[in-house]
Amino acid sequence: MIDPRVASGLRDLLPAVMIPRERMLQTFRETFSSFGFVPIETPHIERMEVLTGKGAGSDEVLRQIFEVTNKGGTPGELALRFDLTVPLARFVAKHMDEVGVPFKRYAIGSVFRGERPAKGRFREFVQCDFDTIGTDSRLADAETAQIIHAALAAADVPPFTITLNNRKILDGVLETLELSGKSGLVLRSLDKLAKIGRDGVTAELARPAEEGGAGLSPDQAARILDFAEAGRGGPAVLDAAEASLGSNPRAAQGIADLRQVLHFLEAGEVPPGRVAIDLGLARGLDYYTGIVFETTVDGWERFGSIASGGRYDDLASLYTSRRLPGVGASIGLDRLLALLEEAGALKAATSTAPVLFANFPGVDPAIAVRLAARLRKVGIGCEIYPEPIQVGKQMGYGSKHGHKLAVIVGPDEAAAESFNLRSLETRHEDKGLAWSVLEDSVHGALELLDNGRLPS
């Protein structure tokens, strides 16, 4: 027999996870749509040259690409997408005359990376992306952070912090140290500060160029890390950064941009406690050119970012001569769900319908079919138990699978055209309700349960 286990880094998802997952996805879709974003879809498989073009992804990500070769195909021609942003840039370059700019899109789908599996890290995972293409506006930058906040708050994610920076500020730091030519190497190392600590980043920065490092002197590494570590907190850190870097035009522009974004977030009623500045935040991907975002759940920072992104003004230039600046972010659905599950904050359920119809022994099942159809017509989900077994066992099934109510029609009820309505949590039962009040009775009972008022 074949071993039914899945490959390393991949998972089967049971209903207890899939049901809250689907509800969360619906919440995200509704949030994205409420800000005017429209859905698109791109293929899971892209041409390798699309995914590996200069600036499309960091060397680390590119090493994790899954190559796809069909039998008799050409090796190195196709690959699975590693994110949804690079395919977006290709999509816009191909369809920009049809969609126009500014173009606000969202896309939700699986991406694939051959990285080492770990807690909250998988080789296949779902990203929920939203991006605005065709504008340099700081309003679009701020709206990205505002949507992150709105989506996570609507999904009842525990308290979280959206951390902001602007890559122009870090570029200014490197210019003052005459290290602009090594920005990619330096920023990728700096991005690991929270994971490997100051000593680890210092060692990476000092590694000679021939060994893949930046070859920085101890003084250069120390000045970069001192700046990064001192630049964490609220808006006041921008004042300190301006005092030390204000003469550098790139850094000054980055600081001004961040201040404007904070102003817009305040206007959009994003609570100040949900936003933080980290002037060492770089993000690992090479295509970011301006604002960058990372979001962590307070107290669960070890899981890493659950929503991240930034501005990428030059990415689409890989595929078109037309300048198409963009900004966007991605919510990492699977990492978020893994975090919520471990935190005990995932509202698990194994049923998608709140009402269970009993299949009472000796009663024509067509009665349950007819009554359930009436409830579905008014938007109330119902499941009919398929076998006419002992009713107590059917009620146990309903309780186990998360049904809220049970409708029971026994022989006496069938003769009187009535039903009993049972709360599966409290076992309270209203008896002898007429079929004519079915919809109103079930709707009212569900409303009580949703408001935390249990029948007794």
Side-chain angles (χ1 to χ4, degrees):
M1 295 179 65
I2 298 174
D3 187 341
R5 65 187 174 89
V6 297
S8 176
L10 305 175
R11 302 155 301 147
D12 291 325
L13 297 176
L14 299 178
V17 174
M18 279 300 298
I19 291 170
R21 186 181 199 250
E22 289 297 308
R23 290 173 181 162
M24 188 171 289
L25 283 173
Q26 182 60 30
T27 297
F28 292 163
R29 290 188 182 98
E30 290 172 356
T31 302
F32 300 156
S33 297
S34 73
F35 282 82
F37 288 72
V38 296
I40 68 166
E41 179 65 88
T42 59
H44 287 67
I45 299 174
E46 294 276 3
R47 290 181 297 114
M48 183 72 79
E49 65 177 342
V50 168
L51 298 178
T52 59
K54 180 176 172 56
S58 69
D59 292 340
E60 182 178 1
V61 169
L62 297 181
R63 284 194 297 270
Q64 298 169 356
I65 284 181
F66 279 102
E67 184 177 323
V68 176
T69 306
N70 59 304
K71 194 169 184 179
T74 304
E77 184 177 25
L78 302 173
L80 293 173
R81 62 191 184 190
F82 61 79
D83 75 359
L84 298 178
T85 304
V86 175
L88 168 65
R90 178 200 55 74
F91 174 95
V92 174
K94 178 176 172 59
H95 299 288
M96 59 184 174
D97 290 333
E98 300 165 65
V99 300
V101 292
F103 177 55
K104 300 170 71 171
R105 84 81 164 97
Y106 73 86
I108 297 174
S110 291
V111 298
F112 306 85
R113 295 184 189 178
E115 60 183 347
R116 181 179 300 171
K119 187 172 290 186
R121 288 185 175 273
F122 311 102
R123 288 178 170 173
E124 178 186 2
F125 53 97
V126 172
Q127 287 187 334
C128 308
D129 279 26
F130 56 97
D131 298 77
T132 302
I133 303 294
T135 177
D136 291 301
S137 171
R138 299 291 79 77
L139 185 61
D141 292 351
E143 187 175 71
T144 303
Q146 188 180 0
I147 293 170
I148 292 173
H149 175 265
L152 297 181
D156 294 325
V157 174
F160 55 88
T161 299
I162 305 169
T163 303
L164 311 178
N165 192 22
N166 194 300
R167 289 275 283 257
K168 293 176 183 176
I169 300 174
L170 290 172
D171 289 341
V173 173
L174 298 183
E175 284 179 4
T176 62
L177 298 173
E178 299 182 350
L179 293 172
S180 297
K182 299 181 178 181
S183 61
L185 292 168
V186 172
L187 296 183
R188 280 195 293 276
S189 295
L190 184 60
D191 201 44
K192 301 174 185 177
L193 183 58
K195 298 176 184 177
I196 64 176
R198 183 179 179 115
D199 290 344
V201 174
T202 300
E204 279 202 8
L205 293 175
R207 190 180 303 147
E210 55 268 22
E211 296 179 14
L216 270 59
S217 69
D219 178 64
Q220 289 172 323
R223 290 176 65 181
I224 292 170
L225 287 165
D226 287 347
F227 178 84
E229 291 177 336
R232 298 171 181 166
V237 302
L238 296 178
D239 299 332
E242 190 170 43
S244 62
L245 295 170
S247 61
N248 182 279
R250 285 186 66 79
Q253 184 62 58
I255 291 169
D257 289 349
L258 268 187
R259 284 193 172 125
Q260 192 170 14
V261 166
L262 293 173
H263 172 67
F264 288 143
L265 291 178
E266 181 183 4
E269 299 184 353
V270 175
R274 287 278 174 90
V275 179
I277 303 294
D278 182 352
L279 298 183
L281 176 63
R283 298 291 301 145
L285 296 174
D286 291 344
Y287 52 64
Y288 290 124
T289 57
I291 194 167
V292 286
F293 313 89
E294 278 196 352
T295 309
T296 53
V297 174
D298 298 349
W300 294 86
E301 290 80 4
R302 67 180 184 276
F303 263 80
S305 178
I306 58 169
S308 57
R311 174 163 286 280
Y312 44 90
D313 288 345
D314 302 319
L315 181 62
S317 64
L318 292 170
Y319 317 108
T320 177
S321 59
R322 181 173 172 179
R323 184 175 180 272
L324 291 170
V327 63
S330 174
I331 300 174
L333 178 69
D334 292 291
R335 183 179 295 181
L336 175 57
L337 286 169
L339 185 158
L340 294 177
E341 192 170 22
E342 182 160 325
L346 191 64
K347 298 176 181 177
T350 55
S351 174
T352 55
V355 178
L356 176 68
F357 269 81
N359 190 343
F360 206 100
V363 175
D364 182 1
I367 293 175
V369 172
R370 189 177 304 114
L371 295 178
R374 283 173 50 182
L375 288 183
R376 295 190 192 106
K377 280 185 179 180
V378 296
I380 299 173
C382 306
E383 178 182 351
I384 302 173
Y385 197 85
E387 304 291 339
I389 63 172
Q390 183 183 354
V391 172
K393 292 183 178 179
Q394 296 184 45
M395 297 301 100
Y397 169 89
S399 297
K400 179 180 178 181
H401 286 79
H403 295 283
K404 297 178 180 180
L405 299 172
V407 175
I408 304 170
V409 179
D412 293 342
E413 289 78 21
E417 295 191 350
S418 66
F419 66 95
N420 300 338
L421 186 62
R422 179 182 295 187
S423 165
L424 289 172
E425 184 169 344
T426 67
R427 299 186 181 182
H428 171 81
E429 189 169 323
D430 291 319
K431 298 184 177 182
L433 303 171
W435 288 358
S436 60
V437 299
L438 173 70
E439 293 88 344
D440 288 341
S441 299
V442 172
H443 184 271
L446 289 174
E447 217 170 41
L448 285 174
L449 292 171
D450 289 342
N451 290 329
R453 295 159 59 195
L454 299 178
S456 57

